[in-house]
mmCIF file of all heavy atoms in Angstrom:
data_model
loop_
_atom_site.group_PDB
_atom_site.id
_atom_site.type_symbol
_atom_site.label_atom_id
_atom_site.label_comp_id
_atom_site.label_asym_id
_atom_site.label_seq_id
_atom_site.Cartn_x
_atom_site.Cartn_y
_atom_site.Cartn_z
ATOM 1 N N LEU D 315 110.523 -39.602 -135.895
ATOM 2 C CA LEU D 315 111.075 -38.270 -136.149
ATOM 3 C C LEU D 315 110.402 -37.617 -137.347
ATOM 4 O O LEU D 315 110.105 -36.424 -137.340
ATOM 5 C CB LEU D 315 112.581 -38.387 -136.375
ATOM 6 C CG LEU D 315 113.344 -37.096 -136.663
ATOM 7 C CD1 LEU D 315 113.187 -36.122 -135.530
ATOM 8 C CD2 LEU D 315 114.801 -37.406 -136.890
ATOM 9 N N ILE D 316 110.154 -38.426 -138.378
ATOM 10 C CA ILE D 316 109.444 -37.875 -139.541
ATOM 11 C C ILE D 316 108.064 -37.384 -139.135
ATOM 12 O O ILE D 316 107.628 -36.296 -139.537
ATOM 13 C CB ILE D 316 109.319 -38.940 -140.654
ATOM 14 C CG1 ILE D 316 110.691 -39.225 -141.264
ATOM 15 C CG2 ILE D 316 108.352 -38.489 -141.740
ATOM 16 C CD1 ILE D 316 110.662 -40.239 -142.355
ATOM 17 N N PHE D 317 107.394 -38.152 -138.313
ATOM 18 C CA PHE D 317 106.072 -37.761 -137.852
ATOM 19 C C PHE D 317 106.136 -36.440 -137.089
ATOM 20 O O PHE D 317 105.349 -35.520 -137.309
ATOM 21 C CB PHE D 317 105.511 -38.880 -136.969
ATOM 22 C CG PHE D 317 104.310 -38.489 -136.162
ATOM 23 C CD1 PHE D 317 103.095 -38.228 -136.759
ATOM 24 C CD2 PHE D 317 104.386 -38.395 -134.778
ATOM 25 C CE1 PHE D 317 101.994 -37.874 -136.018
ATOM 26 C CE2 PHE D 317 103.287 -38.056 -134.022
ATOM 27 C CZ PHE D 317 102.084 -37.789 -134.645
ATOM 28 N N MET D 318 107.128 -36.331 -136.194
ATOM 29 C CA MET D 318 107.281 -35.099 -135.417
ATOM 30 C C MET D 318 107.552 -33.914 -136.331
ATOM 31 O O MET D 318 106.996 -32.831 -136.163
ATOM 32 C CB MET D 318 108.461 -35.248 -134.447
ATOM 33 C CG MET D 318 108.175 -36.091 -133.264
ATOM 34 S SD MET D 318 107.539 -35.078 -131.938
ATOM 35 C CE MET D 318 105.924 -35.689 -131.814
ATOM 36 N N GLN D 319 108.432 -34.128 -137.311
ATOM 37 C CA GLN D 319 108.785 -33.036 -138.217
ATOM 38 C C GLN D 319 107.604 -32.589 -139.037
ATOM 39 O O GLN D 319 107.401 -31.394 -139.253
ATOM 40 C CB GLN D 319 109.915 -33.478 -139.152
ATOM 41 C CG GLN D 319 111.255 -33.584 -138.483
ATOM 42 C CD GLN D 319 111.799 -32.219 -138.115
ATOM 43 O OE1 GLN D 319 111.081 -31.224 -138.073
ATOM 44 N NE2 GLN D 319 113.072 -32.167 -137.837
ATOM 45 N N LEU D 320 106.803 -33.549 -139.486
ATOM 46 C CA LEU D 320 105.614 -33.176 -140.249
ATOM 47 C C LEU D 320 104.666 -32.360 -139.394
ATOM 48 O O LEU D 320 104.068 -31.376 -139.852
ATOM 49 C CB LEU D 320 104.904 -34.425 -140.765
ATOM 50 C CG LEU D 320 105.581 -35.146 -141.926
ATOM 51 C CD1 LEU D 320 104.842 -36.429 -142.222
ATOM 52 C CD2 LEU D 320 105.611 -34.271 -143.151
ATOM 53 N N ALA D 321 104.554 -32.754 -138.123
ATOM 54 C CA ALA D 321 103.667 -32.008 -137.232
ATOM 55 C C ALA D 321 104.192 -30.584 -137.018
ATOM 56 O O ALA D 321 103.428 -29.609 -137.066
ATOM 57 C CB ALA D 321 103.543 -32.732 -135.894
ATOM 58 N N ILE D 322 105.495 -30.469 -136.780
ATOM 59 C CA ILE D 322 106.070 -29.133 -136.570
ATOM 60 C C ILE D 322 105.889 -28.266 -137.805
ATOM 61 O O ILE D 322 105.540 -27.088 -137.711
ATOM 62 C CB ILE D 322 107.556 -29.264 -136.193
ATOM 63 C CG1 ILE D 322 107.669 -29.802 -134.792
ATOM 64 C CG2 ILE D 322 108.254 -27.933 -136.295
ATOM 65 C CD1 ILE D 322 109.069 -30.082 -134.380
ATOM 66 N N MET D 323 106.102 -28.886 -138.977
ATOM 67 C CA MET D 323 105.907 -28.116 -140.210
ATOM 68 C C MET D 323 104.479 -27.640 -140.331
ATOM 69 O O MET D 323 104.202 -26.516 -140.693
ATOM 70 C CB MET D 323 106.224 -29.006 -141.420
ATOM 71 C CG MET D 323 107.604 -28.834 -141.946
ATOM 72 S SD MET D 323 108.071 -30.159 -143.029
ATOM 73 C CE MET D 323 106.647 -30.327 -144.066
ATOM 74 N N ALA D 324 103.525 -28.512 -140.010
ATOM 75 C CA ALA D 324 102.118 -28.145 -140.178
ATOM 76 C C ALA D 324 101.723 -27.036 -139.223
ATOM 77 O O ALA D 324 100.852 -26.228 -139.519
ATOM 78 C CB ALA D 324 101.232 -29.360 -139.967
ATOM 79 N N ILE D 325 102.355 -26.969 -138.066
ATOM 80 C CA ILE D 325 101.958 -25.961 -137.077
ATOM 81 C C ILE D 325 102.662 -24.644 -137.344
ATOM 82 O O ILE D 325 102.050 -23.580 -137.300
ATOM 83 C CB ILE D 325 102.303 -26.450 -135.656
ATOM 84 C CG1 ILE D 325 101.514 -27.703 -135.338
ATOM 85 C CG2 ILE D 325 102.004 -25.374 -134.644
ATOM 86 C CD1 ILE D 325 101.962 -28.366 -134.080
ATOM 87 N N PHE D 326 103.946 -24.689 -137.640
ATOM 88 C CA PHE D 326 104.747 -23.465 -137.623
ATOM 89 C C PHE D 326 105.067 -22.909 -138.997
ATOM 90 O O PHE D 326 105.755 -21.914 -139.082
ATOM 91 C CB PHE D 326 106.072 -23.719 -136.895
ATOM 92 C CG PHE D 326 105.908 -23.986 -135.428
ATOM 93 C CD1 PHE D 326 106.280 -25.200 -134.884
ATOM 94 C CD2 PHE D 326 105.370 -23.037 -134.598
ATOM 95 C CE1 PHE D 326 106.131 -25.448 -133.541
ATOM 96 C CE2 PHE D 326 105.207 -23.280 -133.255
ATOM 97 C CZ PHE D 326 105.592 -24.486 -132.724
ATOM 98 N N LYS D 327 104.588 -23.518 -140.061
ATOM 99 C CA LYS D 327 104.968 -22.960 -141.359
ATOM 100 C C LYS D 327 104.217 -21.678 -141.622
ATOM 101 O O LYS D 327 103.262 -21.340 -140.912
ATOM 102 C CB LYS D 327 104.754 -23.988 -142.465
ATOM 103 C CG LYS D 327 103.328 -24.291 -142.796
ATOM 104 C CD LYS D 327 103.249 -25.504 -143.695
ATOM 105 C CE LYS D 327 103.560 -25.162 -145.128
ATOM 106 N NZ LYS D 327 103.155 -26.230 -146.049
ATOM 107 N N SER D 328 104.642 -20.977 -142.662
ATOM 108 C CA SER D 328 104.119 -19.615 -142.817
ATOM 109 C C SER D 328 102.683 -19.593 -143.334
ATOM 110 O O SER D 328 101.935 -18.689 -142.997
ATOM 111 C CB SER D 328 105.035 -18.796 -143.727
ATOM 112 O OG SER D 328 105.401 -19.532 -144.858
ATOM 113 N N TYR D 329 102.283 -20.546 -144.157
ATOM 114 C CA TYR D 329 100.902 -20.558 -144.640
ATOM 115 C C TYR D 329 100.321 -21.956 -144.497
ATOM 116 O O TYR D 329 100.167 -22.664 -145.492
ATOM 117 C CB TYR D 329 100.835 -20.135 -146.114
ATOM 118 C CG TYR D 329 101.196 -18.694 -146.341
ATOM 119 C CD1 TYR D 329 102.441 -18.353 -146.820
ATOM 120 C CD2 TYR D 329 100.278 -17.684 -146.081
ATOM 121 C CE1 TYR D 329 102.766 -17.037 -147.028
ATOM 122 C CE2 TYR D 329 100.597 -16.366 -146.294
ATOM 123 C CZ TYR D 329 101.847 -16.048 -146.767
ATOM 124 O OH TYR D 329 102.174 -14.742 -146.967
ATOM 125 N N PRO D 330 100.019 -22.390 -143.287
ATOM 126 C CA PRO D 330 99.496 -23.740 -143.153
ATOM 127 C C PRO D 330 98.035 -23.820 -143.577
ATOM 128 O O PRO D 330 97.297 -22.838 -143.553
ATOM 129 C CB PRO D 330 99.636 -24.014 -141.653
ATOM 130 C CG PRO D 330 99.548 -22.687 -141.034
ATOM 131 C CD PRO D 330 100.104 -21.693 -142.004
ATOM 132 N N THR D 331 97.643 -25.028 -143.953
ATOM 133 C CA THR D 331 96.236 -25.293 -144.234
ATOM 134 C C THR D 331 95.887 -26.623 -143.584
ATOM 135 O O THR D 331 96.760 -27.323 -143.070
ATOM 136 C CB THR D 331 95.975 -25.398 -145.744
ATOM 137 O OG1 THR D 331 96.739 -26.488 -146.248
ATOM 138 C CG2 THR D 331 96.348 -24.137 -146.458
ATOM 139 N N VAL D 332 94.622 -26.957 -143.623
ATOM 140 C CA VAL D 332 94.209 -28.201 -142.982
ATOM 141 C C VAL D 332 94.746 -29.418 -143.730
ATOM 142 O O VAL D 332 94.805 -30.510 -143.184
ATOM 143 C CB VAL D 332 92.673 -28.282 -142.862
ATOM 144 C CG1 VAL D 332 92.186 -27.267 -141.872
ATOM 145 C CG2 VAL D 332 92.011 -28.104 -144.193
ATOM 146 N N GLY D 333 95.146 -29.218 -144.982
ATOM 147 C CA GLY D 333 95.764 -30.329 -145.709
ATOM 148 C C GLY D 333 97.059 -30.774 -145.068
ATOM 149 O O GLY D 333 97.366 -31.970 -145.004
ATOM 150 N N ASP D 334 97.850 -29.784 -144.562
ATOM 151 C CA ASP D 334 99.093 -30.154 -143.873
ATOM 152 C C ASP D 334 98.789 -30.896 -142.586
ATOM 153 O O ASP D 334 99.502 -31.840 -142.212
ATOM 154 C CB ASP D 334 99.902 -28.895 -143.555
ATOM 155 C CG ASP D 334 100.204 -28.096 -144.787
ATOM 156 O OD1 ASP D 334 100.779 -28.677 -145.717
ATOM 157 O OD2 ASP D 334 99.857 -26.904 -144.821
ATOM 158 N N VAL D 335 97.736 -30.473 -141.911
ATOM 159 C CA VAL D 335 97.369 -31.122 -140.650
ATOM 160 C C VAL D 335 96.985 -32.562 -140.896
ATOM 161 O O VAL D 335 97.387 -33.472 -140.151
ATOM 162 C CB VAL D 335 96.212 -30.348 -139.985
ATOM 163 C CG1 VAL D 335 95.750 -31.062 -138.744
ATOM 164 C CG2 VAL D 335 96.652 -28.953 -139.640
ATOM 165 N N SER D 336 96.246 -32.792 -141.981
ATOM 166 C CA SER D 336 95.759 -34.154 -142.212
ATOM 167 C C SER D 336 96.883 -35.109 -142.543
ATOM 168 O O SER D 336 96.760 -36.317 -142.303
ATOM 169 C CB SER D 336 94.729 -34.143 -143.330
ATOM 170 O OG SER D 336 95.350 -33.764 -144.530
ATOM 171 N N LEU D 337 97.989 -34.596 -143.074
ATOM 172 C CA LEU D 337 99.066 -35.506 -143.448
ATOM 173 C C LEU D 337 99.693 -36.160 -142.227
ATOM 174 O O LEU D 337 99.909 -37.376 -142.201
ATOM 175 C CB LEU D 337 100.134 -34.740 -144.249
ATOM 176 C CG LEU D 337 101.306 -35.599 -144.719
ATOM 177 C CD1 LEU D 337 100.810 -36.681 -145.648
ATOM 178 C CD2 LEU D 337 102.352 -34.757 -145.401
ATOM 179 N N TYR D 338 99.989 -35.355 -141.208
ATOM 180 C CA TYR D 338 100.614 -36.002 -140.060
ATOM 181 C C TYR D 338 99.596 -36.753 -139.216
ATOM 182 O O TYR D 338 99.947 -37.706 -138.510
ATOM 183 C CB TYR D 338 101.428 -35.018 -139.226
ATOM 184 C CG TYR D 338 100.654 -34.143 -138.273
ATOM 185 C CD1 TYR D 338 100.285 -34.590 -137.014
ATOM 186 C CD2 TYR D 338 100.326 -32.856 -138.626
ATOM 187 C CE1 TYR D 338 99.604 -33.777 -136.145
ATOM 188 C CE2 TYR D 338 99.649 -32.033 -137.755
ATOM 189 C CZ TYR D 338 99.284 -32.503 -136.516
ATOM 190 O OH TYR D 338 98.602 -31.693 -135.666
ATOM 191 N N MET D 339 98.336 -36.335 -139.301
ATOM 192 C CA MET D 339 97.322 -37.092 -138.557
ATOM 193 C C MET D 339 97.126 -38.478 -139.112
ATOM 194 O O MET D 339 96.678 -39.382 -138.400
ATOM 195 C CB MET D 339 95.994 -36.335 -138.591
ATOM 196 C CG MET D 339 95.947 -35.266 -137.581
ATOM 197 S SD MET D 339 94.272 -34.743 -137.312
ATOM 198 C CE MET D 339 94.545 -33.612 -135.998
ATOM 199 N N ALA D 340 97.474 -38.662 -140.397
ATOM 200 C CA ALA D 340 97.354 -39.997 -140.969
ATOM 201 C C ALA D 340 98.263 -40.985 -140.278
ATOM 202 O O ALA D 340 98.022 -42.189 -140.307
ATOM 203 C CB ALA D 340 97.678 -39.949 -142.459
ATOM 204 N N PHE D 341 99.323 -40.507 -139.632
ATOM 205 C CA PHE D 341 100.281 -41.405 -138.992
ATOM 206 C C PHE D 341 99.833 -41.890 -137.624
ATOM 207 O O PHE D 341 100.490 -42.761 -137.050
ATOM 208 C CB PHE D 341 101.620 -40.688 -138.808
ATOM 209 C CG PHE D 341 102.480 -40.744 -140.015
ATOM 210 C CD1 PHE D 341 102.424 -39.749 -140.966
ATOM 211 C CD2 PHE D 341 103.333 -41.814 -140.207
ATOM 212 C CE1 PHE D 341 103.220 -39.805 -142.084
ATOM 213 C CE2 PHE D 341 104.141 -41.867 -141.324
ATOM 214 C CZ PHE D 341 104.079 -40.865 -142.270
ATOM 215 N N LEU D 342 98.787 -41.304 -137.098
ATOM 216 C CA LEU D 342 98.433 -41.635 -135.719
ATOM 217 C C LEU D 342 98.137 -43.114 -135.466
ATOM 218 O O LEU D 342 98.511 -43.620 -134.417
ATOM 219 C CB LEU D 342 97.242 -40.782 -135.266
ATOM 220 C CG LEU D 342 97.537 -39.299 -135.138
ATOM 221 C CD1 LEU D 342 96.314 -38.544 -134.660
ATOM 222 C CD2 LEU D 342 98.684 -39.066 -134.184
ATOM 223 N N PRO D 343 97.533 -43.837 -136.408
ATOM 224 C CA PRO D 343 97.339 -45.267 -136.128
ATOM 225 C C PRO D 343 98.636 -46.039 -135.970
ATOM 226 O O PRO D 343 98.653 -47.092 -135.335
ATOM 227 C CB PRO D 343 96.557 -45.785 -137.347
ATOM 228 C CG PRO D 343 95.936 -44.595 -137.921
ATOM 229 C CD PRO D 343 96.853 -43.460 -137.655
ATOM 230 N N VAL D 344 99.731 -45.530 -136.519
ATOM 231 C CA VAL D 344 101.002 -46.250 -136.393
ATOM 232 C C VAL D 344 101.432 -46.298 -134.930
ATOM 233 O O VAL D 344 102.115 -47.212 -134.495
ATOM 234 C CB VAL D 344 102.084 -45.540 -137.248
ATOM 235 C CG1 VAL D 344 103.377 -46.310 -137.186
ATOM 236 C CG2 VAL D 344 101.610 -45.400 -138.669
ATOM 237 N N TRP D 345 101.054 -45.269 -134.187
ATOM 238 C CA TRP D 345 101.449 -45.220 -132.780
ATOM 239 C C TRP D 345 100.274 -45.545 -131.875
ATOM 240 O O TRP D 345 100.178 -45.062 -130.766
ATOM 241 C CB TRP D 345 101.997 -43.839 -132.423
ATOM 242 C CG TRP D 345 102.725 -43.167 -133.530
ATOM 243 C CD1 TRP D 345 102.340 -42.075 -134.213
ATOM 244 C CD2 TRP D 345 103.961 -43.583 -134.094
ATOM 245 N NE1 TRP D 345 103.275 -41.751 -135.168
ATOM 246 C CE2 TRP D 345 104.281 -42.684 -135.119
ATOM 247 C CE3 TRP D 345 104.855 -44.638 -133.839
ATOM 248 C CZ2 TRP D 345 105.423 -42.801 -135.891
ATOM 249 C CZ3 TRP D 345 105.993 -44.741 -134.613
ATOM 250 C CH2 TRP D 345 106.278 -43.829 -135.628
ATOM 251 N N SER D 346 99.382 -46.377 -132.355
ATOM 252 C CA SER D 346 98.204 -46.656 -131.539
ATOM 253 C C SER D 346 98.556 -47.476 -130.314
ATOM 254 O O SER D 346 97.825 -47.467 -129.335
ATOM 255 C CB SER D 346 97.153 -47.413 -132.356
ATOM 256 O OG SER D 346 97.731 -48.564 -132.933
ATOM 257 N N HIS D 347 99.721 -48.137 -130.327
ATOM 258 C CA HIS D 347 100.110 -48.893 -129.152
ATOM 259 C C HIS D 347 100.537 -47.983 -128.017
ATOM 260 O O HIS D 347 100.768 -48.430 -126.916
ATOM 261 C CB HIS D 347 101.244 -49.851 -129.486
ATOM 262 C CG HIS D 347 102.455 -49.132 -130.020
ATOM 263 N ND1 HIS D 347 102.560 -48.725 -131.317
ATOM 264 C CD2 HIS D 347 103.589 -48.758 -129.409
ATOM 265 C CE1 HIS D 347 103.729 -48.112 -131.501
ATOM 266 N NE2 HIS D 347 104.370 -48.118 -130.354
ATOM 267 N N LEU D 348 100.652 -46.697 -128.297
ATOM 268 C CA LEU D 348 101.039 -45.774 -127.238
ATOM 269 C C LEU D 348 99.840 -45.251 -126.477
ATOM 270 O O LEU D 348 99.986 -44.431 -125.579
ATOM 271 C CB LEU D 348 101.774 -44.568 -127.840
ATOM 272 C CG LEU D 348 103.076 -44.856 -128.572
ATOM 273 C CD1 LEU D 348 103.558 -43.587 -129.236
ATOM 274 C CD2 LEU D 348 104.111 -45.358 -127.596
ATOM 275 N N SER D 349 98.661 -45.715 -126.847
ATOM 276 C CA SER D 349 97.466 -45.080 -126.305
ATOM 277 C C SER D 349 97.363 -45.211 -124.800
ATOM 278 O O SER D 349 96.724 -44.393 -124.155
ATOM 279 C CB SER D 349 96.220 -45.671 -126.952
ATOM 280 O OG SER D 349 96.195 -47.072 -126.723
ATOM 281 N N ARG D 350 98.026 -46.214 -124.211
ATOM 282 C CA ARG D 350 97.923 -46.330 -122.766
ATOM 283 C C ARG D 350 98.742 -45.275 -122.042
ATOM 284 O O ARG D 350 98.533 -45.041 -120.863
ATOM 285 C CB ARG D 350 98.340 -47.723 -122.310
ATOM 286 C CG ARG D 350 99.789 -48.036 -122.625
ATOM 287 C CD ARG D 350 100.147 -49.412 -122.171
ATOM 288 N NE ARG D 350 100.171 -49.501 -120.723
ATOM 289 C CZ ARG D 350 100.251 -50.648 -120.067
ATOM 290 N NH1 ARG D 350 100.284 -51.776 -120.728
ATOM 291 N NH2 ARG D 350 100.271 -50.658 -118.755
ATOM 292 N N PHE D 351 99.654 -44.654 -122.765
ATOM 293 C CA PHE D 351 100.465 -43.634 -122.101
ATOM 294 C C PHE D 351 100.048 -42.210 -122.440
ATOM 295 O O PHE D 351 100.602 -41.258 -121.909
ATOM 296 C CB PHE D 351 101.943 -43.797 -122.490
ATOM 297 C CG PHE D 351 102.515 -45.091 -122.082
ATOM 298 C CD1 PHE D 351 102.964 -45.985 -123.031
ATOM 299 C CD2 PHE D 351 102.581 -45.450 -120.744
ATOM 300 C CE1 PHE D 351 103.507 -47.195 -122.652
ATOM 301 C CE2 PHE D 351 103.112 -46.654 -120.372
ATOM 302 C CZ PHE D 351 103.577 -47.544 -121.316
ATOM 303 N N LEU D 352 99.095 -42.073 -123.328
ATOM 304 C CA LEU D 352 98.660 -40.727 -123.697
ATOM 305 C C LEU D 352 97.849 -40.138 -122.567
ATOM 306 O O LEU D 352 97.003 -40.802 -121.992
ATOM 307 C CB LEU D 352 97.800 -40.773 -124.956
ATOM 308 C CG LEU D 352 98.497 -41.125 -126.247
ATOM 309 C CD1 LEU D 352 97.478 -41.261 -127.348
ATOM 310 C CD2 LEU D 352 99.508 -40.068 -126.600
#
Side-chain angles (χ1 to χ4, degrees):
Chain D
L315 180 59
I316 291 180
F317 166 69
M318 284 270 114
Q319 287 290 17
L320 286 174
I322 288 175
M323 263 164 46
I325 297 170
F326 293 117
K327 71 191 281 195
S328 45
Y329 292 102
T331 61
V332 291
D334 303 305
V335 176
S336 65
L337 181 62
Y338 80 83
M339 278 197 175
F341 276 91
L342 293 181
V344 183
W345 327 111
S346 54
H347 59 279
L348 298 173
S349 58
R350 63 180 291 169
F351 298 117
L352 291 174

